[in-house]
Amino acid sequence: MTSAPTTTTAGPLDVERLIQDLTLEEKASLTSGLDFWHTQPVERLGIGSVMVTDGPHGLRKQDTSADHLGLAESVPATCFPTAAALGSTWDVDLLRRVGSALGRETRANDVAVLLGPGINIKRSPLCGRNFEYFSEDPVVSGDLGAALIEGIQSEGVGTSLKHFAVNNQETDRMRVSADVDERTLREIYLTGFERAVTRAKPWTVMCAYNKVNGTYASEHPWLLTEVLRDEWGYDGVVVSDWGAVADRVPSLAAGLDLEMPNSGNIGDAQVVEAVRSGAMDEAVLDQAVRRLLTLLSRALPAAAEPSSYDAGAHHALAREAAAAGSVLLKNDPVDGTPLLPLRAADAAGVLVVGEFARTPRYQGAGSSQVNPTRLDDALTAIGEVAGADVSFAPGFTIEGVTEGSDEQLRDEAVEAARTATTVVVFLGLPAADESEGYDRDHLDLPDSQVALLQALAEVNPRLVVVLANGSAVALSGWEHLTPAVLETWLGGQAGGGAVADLLFGAQSPSGRLTETIPVSLRDTPAYGSFPGELGHVRYGEGVLVGYRYYDAKGMTVSYPFGHGLTYTSFEHTDVTATVSGEGDDVTVTVRARITNTGTVRGAEVVQVYVGDPESVVLRPERELKGFVKVSLEPGESREVEVVLDARDLSYWHPTLRAWTLEGGEFLVSVGASSRDLRATVSVDVTAPPLAAPLSDDSTFGEWLDHPVGGELLRAELARPETPGADDQGNLEIDETMAKMLLDMPVRVIANFAGMLFDRDGLARLLDQAQERSVRA
Ligand code: BGC
C-alpha cells in the first residue's frame, strides 16, 4: 500500500529563531490542536501541521470524520494483536518488529505520531481497557513498551506513551482521583513509564484523564515536570489525552505542552492573557513551543519521503505475533497423551463449536479500534492448516450475528459432538463486555457458553477450549470439564490463523501469562476498592498488586503470573548469581542453562525474581526483575544471562524519598512462572547502613538501628546516672519492657520521669545528632 508524501513544513526548522519570530498569539496557538487529529500550523513562518492518531496495535486514521471512541470508519490498517496478547509474548525482539511494521504503516499514511503504546498496570482484571495494556507487572510493561516504541520510532515516526499516569480503570476515568502513596506510585505505577521513557525516548507522552492524589494528571507539576523531566531526563512533548485539559494555564505551567483536540481556542486566549498579566512567565510558553517545534523537526525527514508497506507481510507478522502471545494454560493427557497438538490426520473428525470461530473477537472497542486490512477466521484457517474440511456448529448466539436460540444451537452442537474425534470450542467475552469507557463488574463467561461446555463434556471428553477475551476470565467454575485450554486474548486480524497453527502443532505455544488468573473476583487485590466511590479510588493494597498480592497471602490462583505450557519441556540448570561491586554500583549477574528436553522446537521464557527477606519496609515475597525468551531446537541448550543493578534490589523509601538499597541477603530465583521457581540462590549484598534522619519523634528502636544515632544513644545510656542501663549502654530491664521501649518515640521516654533519660538527656542527644547531621 502506498500514499503520496505531504510536506508538513516548508523546510528544516530553526527552532530558536522561530521562537523569536512568533507572536505571543501564534505561540499560544501552537500549544493546542488545529482540529481532532492535527497540530496547529503557522503558515506565515513555514510551520506546518502534522497528524497524530491512534494507536496502539494498529493505525486508526480517520479521513473524514473524527471521534476518540472508534465509532467512525478509518483507513484499512493491519490490526496487530492487542497489548494483552503482545504482552504475553514476553518477546522484546518480536515487539520491535511489530513496532517497526506499525511505524511503516503510520508513515505510509502521512501520520507523524502513533498514539501508543499504553502501559498502565492491570490493577484489577475488571478494567475495561486491560486489553490495551501489557501486564500487572511494571518490568514487563516497561520493557515491552520500550521495545514497541523503539520499533515504531525506528521508522521516523513518533509514539505517545500513555496514559501517564495511574489510569487503571475506566469508571469515572475523566475525574476520579487515584489516591496512592508515593512508594506504591514509584515501585508499581511509575516504574514501567520510567523504563520506557529512559530506554526508548518516546517523542510524546500522553497524560491521563484522571487525577493523581487530588490533582489532574494534566495539571500535575510533580508528575509532568519533577518526575518525568527532571528525574528521568525526558525532553519530548507531553500531550493531553483527548479532552483531558481542565484549565490550560495550570496545565502549561505543570509541563503539558499540547492540548488535544482543539477545544475552541479558548485555552489559547487564556494563555495569552496569563502571559500579558504576568501570571505566567513567557519562558514557560517558549519552552512548550520549543518542544513542539522540535517534534515537528523530528517528523520532517520521514514526511519528506514517499513510503509504502507490504500488507501481506504485515498480516503474516500479525499471525506470528498472535501465535507467540497465546498462552496454553492447560493440556492434560487424554488416554495417556496430552490432547494438544491435534494431528492433521485426525482433522476430518474434528468438530469446531462456537460462533467466535467464524466471527472472531480479535480487538476491543474504543479509540484503539482498527479497520483491518484482512480478517482471518479460525474455522477457515483450521481447514487450511489441517488440509481438511472440519464440521462446525455455532453453539451459542452472538447478538446480531447468529440466528436461533442458545438452547437450539447448544442441542445441535451436542448432537454433532457425539461422533466427533475432538471438539474444539471457541468461547470468550461478548464484545460489549469490554471496552474503553467502562469496566466489567464480573469475571465470568456468559452462562450460555458455560452451559454449552457442560453439555459437550457429557458427550465427548476430548474437548479443547479456545478463549478470546481481553482480560482475565474466571476458569474455576468450568475448567474441570476440559483437558485443554488455550488463551488467545484478542489476537488481532490474523489471530484465526495463529490458533490453527497452534492447535495442529505448526507452532508450539510460547506465550506466558503477564497477569494472574485468579480463582474468583473476590480474591483480587483491589476487590472492594475498585473502582472507588465518590470521585476517589484508594489504592489500599499498596505495592501488593497482581502476583505480589497472591504470593504475600499464599493464595491459590487458577494460573500464576508467568505460566504457560508448550509442546516441549525445558530444564533450567547451572543457575548462578554473582555479585560484584557494592552500594549503588552493585551488579548481580544471573545465569542459567536452559535445555529443550522435549521433541519439538519451542521457546522458554526465563524469569528472574528477587526477594529481600529482611527490610524495614514490607517487600513483596518476590518481584520480577528481568526475563529472557529463548527459542530452542529439541536437545539444544543455551546459557542465558540477566544482569541486575542496585535499582533492581532497591525499594522506594517513603521518608528518605529515595531509592534505597539495604545491604544483606537477597534471594534470586530463576523460574518458568512466579510459582514455578526452578532454583533459588542466596546472595549477600553490601550497602551503606540505612540512615533515615532522626528526630525526637523517632523511636528508641530507630535510634538504636541508626549507624550514628545508635552510637549516640548508647553513649547517653552509658552515663552513670542513667537508670536501667549499664556503663556500656546496655539495657538492664526485663525483656517485655525492652520490647515496648523499641516502639516509643524518644520524646515520650523523656517525658516519663525516671525512665532512661530526661528532657536534658534528650536535648543532649538531639544536639549531638544535629552536630553529626543525622537529625531531621
Ligand atoms: C483515549 C486515548 C486515545 C485518544 C484519542 C482517548 O479517549 O483515552 O487513548 O489516544 O482518545 O483517540
Side-chain angles (χ1 to χ4, degrees), residues 36-37 53-56 60 62 67-70 115-116 129 132-133 160 162-163 167 170 173-174 206-207 209 240-243 366-368 436:
F36 219 83
W37 300 119
T53 199
D54 291 303
R60 184 175 68 100
Q62 297 181 314
D67 67 76
H68 66 290
L69 293 174
L115 301 175
R129 229 174 158 179
E132 281 191 64
Y133 303 140
S160 198
K162 66 192 187 183
H163 307 90
N167 178 181
E170 291 302 283
R173 67 171 166 156
M174 297 188 175
M206 185 189 294
C207 80
Y209 282 122
S240 72
D241 198 343
W242 265 231
S367 62
S368 67
E436 176 176 345

Side-chain angles (χ1 to χ4, degrees), residues 1-2 75-80 100-102 104-106 108-109 307-320 371-376 493-494:
M1 289 193 183
T2 48
V75 301
T78 309
C79 179
F80 285 95
S100 147
L102 284 167
R104 279 193 294 275
E105 296 197 17
T106 304
N109 280 286
S307 169
S308 65
Y309 71 93
D310 177 344
H314 287 191
H315 186 77
L317 178 60
R319 181 167 178 157
E320 179 189 342
N371 175 17
T373 56
R374 284 165 55 176
L375 183 57
D376 284 354
Q493 68 178 47

Side-chain angles (χ1 to χ4, degrees), residues 664-751:
E665 188 193 24
F666 286 85
L667 298 175
V668 179
S669 305
V670 173
S673 88
S674 60
R675 296 256 171 114
D676 179 10
L677 306 177
R678 302 292 175 84
T680 297
V681 181
S682 162
V683 294
D684 201 49
V685 169
T686 308
L690 243 197
L694 294 168
S695 71
D696 62 349
D697 210 34
S698 305
T699 64
F700 190 80
E702 286 162 357
W703 276 81
L704 268 189
D705 286 345
H706 192 282
V708 180
E711 184 195 311
L712 299 176
L713 182 60
R714 274 193 200 87
E716 183 58 35
L717 297 178
R719 291 166 69 88
E721 62 272 28
T722 304
D726 66 17
D727 59 4
Q728 300 296 307
N730 298 314
L731 293 176
E732 288 178 320
I733 51 180
D734 73 58
E735 219 179 296
T736 321
M737 185 64 196
K739 237 175 151 180
M740 256 186 333
L741 258 183
L742 291 178
D743 242 11
M744 279 191 194
V746 287
R747 68 177 166 74
V748 175
I749 296 175
N751 281 344

Side-chain angles (χ1 to χ4, degrees), residues 487-755:
E487 173 61 84
T488 67
W489 307 113
L490 300 178
Q493 68 178 47
V499 172
D501 290 341
L502 294 170
L503 290 175
F504 286 90
Q507 300 265 352
S508 183
S510 69
R512 304 289 189 274
L513 291 178
T514 57
E515 59 192 287
T516 310
I517 301 188
V519 173
S520 79
L521 177 59
R522 277 167 192 274
D523 288 354
T524 58
Y527 184 75
S529 69
F530 180 99
E533 57 223 353
L534 304 175
H536 287 266
V537 50
R538 204 171 68 81
Y539 284 42
E541 69 283 2
V543 296
L544 298 181
V545 175
Y547 65 91
R548 289 165 169 82
Y549 176 85
Y550 301 109
D551 287 349
K553 298 209 150 188
M555 286 167 79
T556 302
V557 298
S558 282
Y559 291 98
F561 175 84
H563 169 79
L565 304 174
T566 66
Y567 295 152
T568 184
S569 51
F570 298 97
E571 215 173 65
H572 297 208
T573 55
D574 307 329
V575 175
T576 57
T578 317
V579 181
S580 74
E582 55 182 61
D584 287 349
D585 298 324
V586 77
T587 58
V588 181
T589 305
V590 186
R591 291 200 182 91
R593 175 157 291 283
I594 312 300
T595 308
N596 181 344
T597 50
T599 53
V600 294
R601 182 185 171 79
E604 175 69 313
V605 177
V606 187
Q607 302 159 40
V608 175
Y609 295 89
V610 173
D612 181 4
E614 224 178 284
S615 167
V616 301
V617 297
L618 175 115
R619 300 202 67 179
E621 188 126 330
R622 70 186 69 88
E623 299 182 271
L624 183 85
K625 295 296 174 182
F627 59 91
V628 183
K629 188 166 193 176
V630 52
S631 192
L632 298 169
E633 297 294 339
E636 193 186 347
S637 162
R638 203 173 311 155
E639 189 181 68
V640 298
E641 182 182 285
V642 170
V643 180
L644 309 175
D645 61 14
R647 171 64 186 275
D648 292 320
L649 309 177
S650 302
Y651 60 86
W652 181 262
H653 194 296
T655 46
L656 287 175
R657 298 200 61 207
W659 290 104
T660 302
L661 175 64
E662 265 181 60
E665 188 193 24
F666 286 85
L667 298 175
V668 179
S669 305
V670 173
S673 88
S674 60
R675 296 256 171 114
D676 179 10
L677 306 177
R678 302 292 175 84
T680 297
V681 181
S682 162
V683 294
D684 201 49
V685 169
T686 308
L690 243 197
L694 294 168
S695 71
D696 62 349
D697 210 34
S698 305
T699 64
F700 190 80
E702 286 162 357
W703 276 81
L704 268 189
D705 286 345
H706 192 282
V708 180
E711 184 195 311
L712 299 176
L713 182 60
R714 274 193 200 87
E716 183 58 35
L717 297 178
R719 291 166 69 88
E721 62 272 28
T722 304
D726 66 17
D727 59 4
Q728 300 296 307
N730 298 314
L731 293 176
E732 288 178 320
I733 51 180
D734 73 58
E735 219 179 296
T736 321
M737 185 64 196
K739 237 175 151 180
M740 256 186 333
L741 258 183
L742 291 178
D743 242 11
M744 279 191 194
V746 287
R747 68 177 166 74
V748 175
I749 296 175
N751 281 344
F752 282 125
M755 194 179 190

Side-chain angles (χ1 to χ4, degrees), residues 81-145:
T82 61
L86 286 178
S88 301
T89 68
W90 295 66
D91 189 335
V92 286
D93 296 327
L94 178 61
L95 262 77
R96 264 188 220 110
R97 285 196 287 130
V98 169
S100 147
L102 284 167
R104 279 193 294 275
E105 296 197 17
T106 304
R107 186 172 164 173
N109 280 286
D110 300 321
V111 173
V113 175
L114 187 71
L115 301 175
I119 63 161
N120 294 96
I121 292 291
K122 302 185 192 205
R123 175 176 177 242
S124 164
L126 294 178
C127 173
R129 229 174 158 179
N130 273 0
F131 68 88
E132 281 191 64
Y133 303 140
F134 292 117
S135 178
E136 67 188 20
D137 179 88
V139 168
V140 184
S141 304
D143 292 7
L144 295 181

